[in-house]
Amino acid sequence: MHYTTKRVWTGITLLSTTLWCGSIWATNEKELNTIQPVVEFYQSTTHAKYPGHFMNDFLKAFQKKFKDTPLQETELQFSIGFTVTESGELDNIMVSNITNPQLTTDIISIVKEMKKWQPAKENGMKIPSRYALPFYINIAEIQSNTKNIHYTASKEESLFKPASYPTGHKGFWEEYTSKKGPMGEANFVNDRLKYTYTLTIDASGSVVGVELQGIKNDRLKDKFIEDFTKVVTSMKKWNPGTYEGRPVTSRILVPMITTVVAVEDEY
């Protein structure tokens, strides 16, 4: 006689592709937050969308244009304002805090040549919306051969570098998975939990604190924190965050999804 039983297992989906690609936000001990774009909407109920990362695309285009062009400025701190029209084109482009007229013209030209946006909508109708985006650009970095230029909104933000794992995000997930092992049995099926851990990493690279957002059940939340803390504190030390080249305490967000599935055994 054959019997079929069901074992319920929890399986964790590690969002490694987004760990170091925008889903980690870090702050230093001075509570420096990653600055989000300043957005002004007029009547819109659905945000306009850019097909990619507008700020990083702008920096790549800026570097391409000015990599071999001498500039009097050593750094730039400015804002770009523009309207996304009903057709997704950019109109009424304005650049603030730039005193060089030719540089202002060049920046506007770069913005005009970028990809079209998906316009904002209100009640299903396409409508114009207005944006204002702050930029900080270090000219020496732009004119270097580096390909790893990332968007920063201010000089202070550019001086802060978040903590990083010695073997990169792929190495972090591989080591975490190997140390974590099977999730074990659970008593609920077909559940999908989305949650985020916040790691506090001190100036020596040690994980000194773990917080969890997204789990409402206190007992389950405490268990998740206990298990996660046990694993990450047994792993390699991090490269600490730095501010002006000095190690500082930083915080990293780690998003995860846990899915509970049923597995059949026959005997």
Side-chain angles (χ1 to χ4, degrees), residues 37-50:
V38 177
V39 182
E40 299 173 0
F41 287 104
Y42 297 108
Q43 300 180 334
S44 63
T45 56
T46 302
H47 295 190
K49 296 180 180 179
Y50 179 77

Side-chain angles (χ1 to χ4, degrees), residues 97-137:
N97 299 327
I98 297 290
T99 58
N100 183 332
Q102 183 57 52
L103 184 56
T104 297
T105 300
D106 290 336
I107 290 174
I108 292 175
S109 177
I110 291 173
V111 174
K112 285 183 176 179
E113 294 173 0
M114 295 176 67
K115 302 172 188 174
K116 289 179 64 175
W117 290 58
Q118 296 177 20
K121 291 183 179 180
E122 183 178 52
N123 298 324
M125 300 292 292
K126 296 178 181 178
I127 60 172
S129 56
R130 183 78 183 168
Y131 291 75
L133 305 177
F135 283 85
Y136 170 78
I137 295 179

Side-chain angles (χ1 to χ4, degrees), residues 26-29 160 162-163 199-202 240-241 248-252:
T27 59
N28 70 5
E29 59 190 356
F160 173 62
L199 303 184
T200 299
I201 300 165
D202 68 12
V248 295
T249 296
S250 62
R251 305 177 75 217
I252 299 293

Side-chain angles (χ1 to χ4, degrees), residues 7 74 100 129 167 169 182 195 197 250 253 255:
R7 292 177 292 112
T74 58
N100 183 332
S129 56
T167 55
H169 68 278
Y195 51 98
Y197 289 107
S250 62
L253 300 190

Side-chain angles (χ1 to χ4, degrees), residues 209-221:
V210 176
E211 301 171 35
L212 177 59
Q213 298 81 35
I215 302 294
K216 295 182 179 180
N217 184 297
D218 289 339
R219 190 167 71 173
L220 184 62
K221 181 177 181 178

Side-chain angles (χ1 to χ4, degrees), residues 186-259:
N187 54 12
F188 46 96
V189 185
N190 297 327
D191 207 353
R192 191 167 182 265
L193 304 175
K194 297 178 67 175
Y195 51 98
T196 301
Y197 289 107
T198 301
L199 303 184
T200 299
I201 300 165
D202 68 12
S204 73
S206 299
V207 176
V208 295
V210 176
E211 301 171 35
L212 177 59
Q213 298 81 35
I215 302 294
K216 295 182 179 180
N217 184 297
D218 289 339
R219 190 167 71 173
L220 184 62
K221 181 177 181 178
D222 290 343
K223 180 60 176 174
F224 272 42
I225 292 176
E226 178 184 347
D227 290 347
F228 185 77
T229 302
K230 182 178 180 180
V231 176
V232 296
T233 54
S234 70
M235 295 169 63
K236 297 181 181 71
K237 278 193 172 185
W238 290 63
N239 298 319
T242 60
Y243 184 74
E244 293 186 313
R246 294 178 289 103
V248 295
T249 296
S250 62
R251 305 177 75 217
I252 299 293
L253 300 190
V254 183
M256 290 188 178
I257 297 175
T258 296
T259 304

